[in-house]
């Protein structure tokens, strides 16, 4: 006997097909026609309203968090700007007090940056015998 047949020889698919055409098929047809609609529609409408309220709540909370983050970023930027301007003023005063030392440091930094940015040399030197 095949796995798809019952002991009396009838196929399971035929039995299920007969069962599906009964109450379940009628229930699906009733739902499609809207006969079971008032209670289902009310439940759907309540779920939809609840989902909209939850989405609005999440949107409002996200807006508050974003506003706080923007304000914090603005404060950090203002603080950094203030510190940079203060440091620049101090550097400018030091250069005016010690111009030779500032020029020497600037030249040294320039040479170091030039060596670093030059990259590796790929020169090949050939030597000849005399």
């Amino acid at each position: 006997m095949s796995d798809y047949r019952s002991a009396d020889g009838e196929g399971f698919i035929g039995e299920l097909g007969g069962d599906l055409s009964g109450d379940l098929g009628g229930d699906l047809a009733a739902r499609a026609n809207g006969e079971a609609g008032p209670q289902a529609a009310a439940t759907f409408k309540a779920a939809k309203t609840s989902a909209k309220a939850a989405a609005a709540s999440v949107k409002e909370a996200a807006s508050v968090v974003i506003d706080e983050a923007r304000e914090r970023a603005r404060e950090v930027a203002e603080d950094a700007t203030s510190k940079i301007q203060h440091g620049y003023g101090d550097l400018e005063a030091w250069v005016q007090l010690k111009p030779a030392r500032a020029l020497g440091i600037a030249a040294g930094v320039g040479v170091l940056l030039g060596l670093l940015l030059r990259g590796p040399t790929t020169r090949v030197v050939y030597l000849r015998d005399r």
Side-chain angles (χ1 to χ4, degrees), residues 8-28:
D8 61 356
E10 188 173 331
F12 288 134
I13 295 174
E15 292 174 12
L16 288 175
D19 290 343
L20 287 176
S21 64
D23 293 334
L24 183 59
D27 188 35
L28 289 175

Side-chain angles (χ1 to χ4, degrees), residues 86-106:
H86 182 46
Y88 181 76
D90 289 347
L91 178 65
E92 194 173 19
W94 183 79
V95 167
Q96 287 176 357
L97 289 174
K98 302 178 182 181
R101 189 177 284 181
L103 186 61
I105 291 173

Side-chain angles (χ1 to χ4, degrees), residues 41-105:
T43 303
F44 177 74
K45 193 172 189 177
K48 183 178 175 182
T49 304
S50 176
K52 282 185 178 181
S57 175
V58 168
K59 185 177 179 181
E60 184 178 333
S63 175
V64 168
V65 169
I66 288 172
D67 289 343
E68 289 174 359
R70 282 185 183 150
E71 184 60 33
R72 178 69 180 133
R74 189 175 296 117
E75 290 173 3
V76 169
E78 288 174 1
D79 187 40
T81 302
S82 173
K83 286 182 181 180
I84 289 172
Q85 287 176 348
H86 182 46
Y88 181 76
D90 289 347
L91 178 65
E92 194 173 19
W94 183 79
V95 167
Q96 287 176 357
L97 289 174
K98 302 178 182 181
R101 189 177 284 181
L103 186 61
I105 291 173

